[in-house]
Amino acid sequence: MSTVSVLQPAPAAPRRWAVHASRPLTLYLGLAAVGSYLLLLVVLPVGSVIRMALVHGWPGFWHPLTDPLGRAALGLSVTAGLLAAGINTAAGTAVAFALVRGRFPGRRLLDTLLDLPLGVPTTVSGLMLLLLYSPVSPIGAWLAARHLAVAYAPAGVVLAMAFVTLPYAVRTVQPVLAGLDRRMEEAAWTLGASRWRTLREVVLPMVWPGIASGFCLTFSRAMAEFGSVVVISGNLPGQTLVAPVYLYGLLENDDPFGAAAMSVDLLLIALAAHAVAAWLEHRHAARLRGAGAVAGGPGQGAPVSPTARASARPAAGRQAVLHAGRLAAALARRIGRWAAAGVFTWVWLGVMLLLPLAGLISGALQAGVAGFVQSLAQPEAVASLRLSAVVTAWTVLFNVVFGLWTATLLTKHRFPGRWLVSAVADLPFALSPVIAGLALLLVYGPNTGLGQWLQAHGIHVVFALPGMVMASLLVTYPLVVRELVPALQLTGRAAEEAAYTLGASRWRTFVRVTLPSIRWSLYYAVVLTVARSLGEFGAVLVVSGNLVGVTQTAPLYVYQATVEHNMAAADAVSLILASASFVMLLFMQFLRRKGGLAHEH
Amino acid sequence: MSIEVRNLVKHYTPGVPAVRGVSFTVETGEMVGLLGPSGSGKTTLLRMIAGLEPQTAGEIYIHGRLVDPLPPQRRGVGVVFQNYALFPHMTVFENIAFGLRVQRMRRAEIRERVAELLRLVRLSGFEDRYPSQLSGGQAQRVALARALAPKPSVLLLDEPFAAIDTKVRKELREWVRRVHEEVGITSIFVTHDQDEAFEVADRVMVFHDGELLQFGTPQQILESPATPFVATFVGDVNEIERQVVGGAVSLGPIRLSAHPFQDGARVRVVIRPTDVVVAPPDGPPVGPRARIRRKIAKGPVHAVQVELQDGLVLRAFVPREAQWALHPGAPVSVWIKDYQTFPA
Ligand SMILES: Nc1ncnc2c1ncn2[C@@H]1O[C@H](COP(=O)(O)OP(=O)(O)OP(=O)(O)O)[C@@H](O)[C@H]1O
Ligand SMILES: [Mg+2]
């Protein structure tokens, strides 16, 4: 059945058909439900951040830059974000190459473990790095003796950002490389081009838009990072204090205007990065799809002369890079290309991933299993884990219902303003978690009209469970929509139309035909939601108030324990969270394979 | 001897041969057609010659030189890939110039050579187009020009016309043959289409299941196929299994000599449809009586099925000029002009 859907990627005609098929009622109902959901969850909160930033007029944008500390924080965020994205893109491209093309022992294992930073709560990530690099650890001490501090230093900020964004660069480049036609390279070889030259002139030009777009997304995510940075950086104002933490500080000091102004600046930078990524991907797709429509059209003579193109010479600045590449190629020839790729992948992921993980495990079990169990048995620890589970359960429930509803609305209906719904659903991607928390606070907080009204009627949103669920939703909702939309697009109309002609109602068709065909994507979205909301820190921190035993989730508990130097407690809960995310990871891998199969056959 | 292959073997997975011990020699300037069913190892053979796939055993010589240790870059072999594999981010000019730039040719020379090649493939003026702006036939010609640019001594073409419609295809193959002669190169081209192979190749190889069954001129292959497989593959032949009785096999009323097979042996008789002569019932020539079962117009001939008296059905080609009543049910006389026998 899925063969049919793959072979018929609903072209324009069936889409138009959908207008007739869709009874306006379902469309209006869906629009009303999804619209109000987005209004309450995204539009109002983000809108109030912008409004707050502009209460003093347009200079609001410049406000953070007038404070030297704010300027330093924003500068550090951007610089460290660029660095982390640069490192990850370079290493990530190499790793993606090795994973796609290489055959070396442990390839599948590394491919699976790569997603670990997606599932591990960011505070836990910070803790892992802190355990590894703090001045009291062997590595930290060794580095400190050489004046190479990582913990409580800018290098730590870059490292934390690189750690949490590790999967992004690889996962954006991987499919591009996998889709590359090998015959293109073989053609270059038979024309006499060396492997290095082929890589440079044939492979890279075809994959670089994918790489560059991966860079933009990695940068945006790195800049937004809060939980891990807050733990490892020490947050020294003017030195290691990043913008999201600065923003959080302003919020704590009751300066919502300053916080909102910084938020808007961060949001603008992130949106710009996303826009560039989207543009690159669009352009790339357009070129490789082949401009079949243009073929044979008049006036095809391109203005650039062949000589001008042929004369494009590598600039002097690139010589060094070229030289390094040639050296690496020579080295690879020595020990065998794929052996070299395998070694690199193992070393890179070993240092970046496995070492911190090992540090966490050894830290948690330092006091033996008994100590570990005792740390876990603390009432606060138990309460935090239970609360995390409750928040996650609610988040999954809402995400499944509204995620499905949104994705269905976006794929099975056509209506004016569809792009707007799609854009708004995507918007939270560009939000740093702290900003997401701030945004909710500015709508439902104790100082707003709506917040006070709700409170007067006995409804507690902020500093209570509903606010925490909303914070988790805001962060995970776009993940679900992005996962479900392509899946729903793939389930072509054919099967659904067949069901209609067999007399099945729309609802029955949805439940019996559509849902089963996207079930793997739905499970995947659920797993993603669980992993993210179990670990959500920044957004929850802001809206929960972090009341011990009442609104303290597990990641918050880890944070607090770390700050209070109660490492045993922090380690124990971290290990539980990391194990949970590891299980999620195995699930994800399994689902991806399942889902991949379903797409192929 | 431009290309010589000795006992070439390829196993992609150990124990599963894709090419099993193939030997042949292609002379300089020859154009060889490589014919065989899907999965018979044609692409594999080409890729091994080009150096894109290491062989499991055997040797490959190009101009008498053992090329096994050489990477594809240094074999002087041009390849036209089935889907052309043009570089999508380069213009036609840049695609063709790629192999020349690799040789560090001077820019003026590159321009000259590309212009010359574009004239050869009749695409002058298309320099600045991107591959996505070309038709299938044009892309095919660019791919050919690109492969020819570095002046390879050997040209390998893997199903070069597969994606092109029949009419253009016919033009292209004649044109490729002309280019082959003009450039003076040794070529091997893979094809599924026997007409294509027989029409343009000097000699044809027939591959089956990783084995080279026959290598000869089109005439040799058509007239004396080396194995029943070749016979059935190159024509849509009649194949009948019989026991030898009294030094002959009988197909209904027709008796054919089974020399050199002994009595009692089972043999396979292969008769090409063109060798089944269908004549009016009263001749000439006069043969056993039969009946027309079906008639299909097929190019310059009628493909007919004739049923012999005992129910055996033979396929036959009758020239269109034969104006006499060939309608189904019509009585005819049948006569076998030529046939072959193989052990069953
Ligand atoms: N990379 C590979 N790995 C494993 N087996 C392969 C590979 N390439 C080809 N084969 C196998 O080797 C055999 C020969 O394949 P090859 O591609 O040479 O056939 P072909 O004659 O070119 O077929 P076609 O006419 O369909 O192109 C087939 O059984 C095929 O499945
Ligand atoms: Mg092939």
Side-chain angles (χ1 to χ4, degrees), chain B:
Chain B
M1 37 142 215
S2 205
I3 307 170
E4 190 186 347
V5 160
R6 287 191 202 150
N7 299 318
L8 203 58
V9 176
K10 175 71 188 182
H11 294 222
Y12 284 106
T13 27
V16 189
V19 170
R20 22 180 126 210
V22 166
S23 306
F24 61 83
T25 305
V26 176
E27 302 299 334
T28 307
E30 244 188 330
M31 184 165 212
V32 170
L34 181 46
L35 198 56
S38 189
S40 57
K42 307 181 295 289
T43 300
T44 305
L45 177 69
L46 242 53
R47 290 174 58 82
M48 286 192 287
I49 296 174
L52 294 171
E53 198 76 65
Q55 65 257 40
T56 310
E59 295 105 51
I60 300 168
Y61 298 83
I62 294 177
H63 296 302
R65 187 161 75 119
L66 184 71
V67 294
D68 296 345
L70 297 182
Q73 285 89 346
R74 304 196 20 228
R75 292 200 180 189
V77 172
V79 181
V80 176
F81 291 81
Q82 180 170 344
N83 64 350
Y84 320 136
L86 293 176
F87 307 130
H89 59 290
M90 297 185 195
T91 60
V92 167
F93 179 91
E94 289 165 323
N95 262 285
I96 300 175
F98 185 84
L100 303 172
R101 285 197 298 120
V102 168
Q103 294 182 346
R104 297 176 184 278
M105 197 184 260
R106 290 216 329 278
R107 258 194 287 147
E109 277 180 77
I110 291 183
R111 228 174 316 146
E112 218 168 281
R113 174 108 178 102
V114 173
E116 178 195 331
L117 282 160
L118 281 173
R119 264 198 306 281
L120 182 74
V121 300
R122 294 204 226 108
L123 281 176
S124 305
F126 283 68
E127 288 85 348
D128 294 330
R129 291 229 190 156
Y130 281 92
S132 55
Q133 301 168 331
L134 299 174
S135 74
Q138 291 165 343
Q140 210 278 330
R141 275 137 69 194
V142 173
L144 187 69
R146 185 180 69 175
L148 290 173
K151 302 203 168 160
S153 60
V154 168
L155 183 66
L156 306 177
L157 305 104
D158 193 356
E159 307 205 26
F161 315 117
I164 298 169
D165 65 75
T166 336
K167 191 170 165 293
V168 183
R169 208 175 152 129
K170 209 165 149 59
E171 268 172 47
L172 267 177
R173 69 184 182 221
E174 278 153 20
W175 170 83
V176 165
R177 172 79 215 189
R178 264 205 308 282
V179 170
H180 164 89
E181 275 159 19
E182 272 176 51
V183 176
I185 198 170
T186 310
S187 332
I188 302 183
F189 76 97
V190 170
T191 174
H192 265 119
D193 180 344
Q194 6 166 335
D195 293 342
E196 204 159 276
F198 292 143
E199 202 168 303
V200 295
D202 297 309
R203 286 198 292 163
V204 173
M205 293 189 209
V206 183
F207 249 68
H208 178 47
D209 205 8
E211 273 178 295
L212 176 55
L213 297 183
Q214 191 169 10
F215 187 17
T217 62
Q219 188 159 1
Q220 283 170 338
I221 288 181
L222 279 173
E223 285 178 1
S224 42
T227 73
F229 178 82
V230 176
T232 37
F233 189 70
V234 297
D236 101 269
V237 300
N238 298 291
E239 200 181 2
I240 307 128
E241 205 177 301
R242 284 289 130 92
Q243 194 153 23
V244 181
V245 180
V249 289
S250 33
L251 311 177
I254 306 172
R255 280 182 66 79
L256 302 170
S257 155
H259 181 80
F261 292 95
Q262 301 293 321
D263 275 13
R266 290 202 69 82
V267 297
R268 232 185 302 172
V269 184
V270 174
I271 311 163
R272 264 176 288 123
T274 43
D275 290 336
V276 180
V277 180
V278 179
D282 40 0
V286 182
R289 287 302 194 89
R291 234 162 25 89
I292 302 284
R293 279 234 325 209
R294 258 160 67 85
K295 181 182 83 174
I296 306 152
K298 189 179 175 188
V301 298
H302 289 299
V304 297
Q305 291 184 349
V306 287
E307 187 177 343
L308 298 176
Q309 270 157 355
D310 72 338
L312 184 71
V313 175
L314 292 177
R315 265 169 306 179
F317 291 158
V318 182
R320 279 262 178 118
E321 302 87 75
Q323 284 301 328
W324 45 276
L326 262 181
H327 57 84
V332 290
S333 72
V334 168
W335 183 62
I336 307 290
K337 209 163 66 176
D338 195 9
Y339 65 94
Q340 283 181 309
T341 47
F342 299 96

